[in-house]
Amino acid sequence: IQGLPAEDVGVEAPVRTLTEVLDTCHAPREFDLLSLDVEGYELAVLAGLDFEKHQPRAMCIEVADANRDAVAA
């Protein structure tokens, strides 16, 4: 919060795969664009996408430098 001192805070939150999110939203099998900006978790998010169930025609992925080669593969 602006004006308050910064401090580390732990937060527990449920985690779902991208496939689970798309299934919950009743996303179609084929869709035009998947855009990801996940601050360094590109590989984990993509690993959670079942490309047999959901097939984006194009993907726009902001990639952290450390993951560039792995995401391109």
Side-chain angles (χ1 to χ4, degrees), residues 4-25:
L4 296 178
E7 61 182 73
D8 290 334
V9 177
V11 176
E12 288 189 31
V15 177
R16 299 186 296 165
T17 66
L18 184 51
T19 295
E20 290 172 328
V21 172
L22 293 172
D23 287 346
T24 300
C25 296

Side-chain angles (χ1 to χ4, degrees), residues 15-72:
V15 177
R16 299 186 296 165
T17 66
L18 184 51
T19 295
E20 290 172 328
V21 172
L22 293 172
D23 287 346
T24 300
C25 296
H26 305 288
R29 183 169 193 258
E30 294 182 4
F31 54 95
D32 292 329
L33 178 65
L34 173 65
S35 178
L36 293 178
D37 182 356
V38 291
E39 305 303 329
Y41 292 93
E42 300 86 9
L43 294 175
V45 171
L46 290 172
L49 177 57
D50 181 347
F51 284 97
E52 294 294 320
K53 289 183 77 173
H54 301 287
Q55 299 179 352
R57 290 183 181 93
M59 294 189 292
C60 178
I61 305 172
E62 181 180 307
V63 179
D65 286 337
N67 294 332
R68 188 177 314 265
D69 292 338
V71 170

